[in-house]
Amino acid sequence: MQPLIKKIEALVISISVQNGIGIIEAISEKDESKKAIFRITAETPLMTKDAHQIGVSAIPVKGKIIAFVDSKSPLPMISPPHIIPLLVIFDQYAKKGEVCVGAFDRMLYSEQLKLKLHVNEATEIVDLAGKRVDQNDLAGKMLFVFYDRATRSMPAQTNPAKIIATNIMQTE
């Protein structure tokens, strides 16, 4: 199965707003000759690694971002590519934590990520609007998972601090 989510790490070159759409121009952190334009809509979550929502204006030029993109969605054949990410993480302010995006089964295991989630009473489970979601409603949905450490076992295991459930369903 092809991974559904692609992770892109980039450095911000410029930020602007055009017709209500945030435009983040960025270059690849690994290869500065690779440029991309990230189109941020009102529905695109912009967050820090510790799951706090931020606005486009909070991201400085030269800031590092991590964009999670649906690898199966079509891209226009222009250069640089214009990408609409599912989630953008602003990796700044020395925030601790990890973020992963993927589909999990009813046992909260992701084959794609090789990660097992152990939800406890401290885990916040919400949808993109911030409304509480029942743990039993997570299976097969694309989840944004925020955690600070995982075991080195196979599969890796973690107690997530926050899970955001999307309405995107896993595709085979």
Side-chain angles (χ1 to χ4, degrees):
M1 179 172 87
Q2 174 187 353
L4 181 63
I5 302 301
K6 183 177 179 180
K7 180 178 172 180
I8 301 171
E9 296 181 10
L11 298 173
V12 175
I13 297 172
S14 68
I15 297 172
S16 62
V17 176
Q18 299 171 4
N19 299 326
I21 304 286
I23 306 294
I24 299 175
E25 186 177 0
I27 56 173
S28 169
E29 192 174 37
K30 296 175 184 160
D31 181 357
E32 291 187 5
S33 68
K34 292 184 179 179
K35 191 186 261 189
I37 305 291
F38 296 100
R39 297 173 56 92
I40 309 301
T41 67
E43 291 79 37
T44 309
L46 289 169
M47 306 182 103
T48 59
K49 278 187 163 183
D50 59 354
H52 286 91
Q53 194 103 20
I54 60 171
V56 172
S57 60
I59 302 174
V61 172
K62 297 185 182 173
K64 179 181 173 185
I65 59 171
I66 303 166
F68 292 92
V69 179
D70 182 344
S71 64
K72 292 184 179 182
S73 65
L75 288 177
M77 297 300 291
I78 57 175
S79 185
H82 288 235
I83 301 167
I84 300 174
L86 298 170
L87 170 69
V88 176
I89 299 296
F90 175 47
D91 189 11
Q92 195 76 358
Y93 306 129
K95 299 282 185 189
K96 300 288 185 204
E98 295 295 325
V99 181
C100 69
V101 175
F104 290 78
D105 65 17
R106 64 181 182 80
M107 302 300 290
L108 297 180
Y109 172 71
S110 172
E111 178 68 37
Q112 173 193 355
L113 299 170
K114 305 287 189 235
L115 182 65
K116 170 79 171 107
L117 304 180
H118 294 283
V119 174
N120 58 40
E121 62 278 349
T123 304
E124 181 182 2
I125 305 172
V126 296
D127 64 13
L128 287 167
K131 190 174 128 189
R132 290 194 141 303
V133 174
D134 187 81
Q135 178 180 340
N136 297 324
D137 296 332
L138 299 178
K141 291 184 179 176
M142 191 63 53
L143 305 178
F144 303 156
V145 180
F146 297 82
Y147 60 98
D148 53 353
R149 62 183 86 106
T151 65
R152 293 182 186 226
S153 62
M154 289 307 266
Q157 300 180 45
T158 189
N159 297 329
K162 185 173 188 174
I163 298 172
I164 300 175
T166 71
N167 58 0
I168 302 168
M169 297 303 286
Q170 177 180 8
T171 58
E172 296 292 326

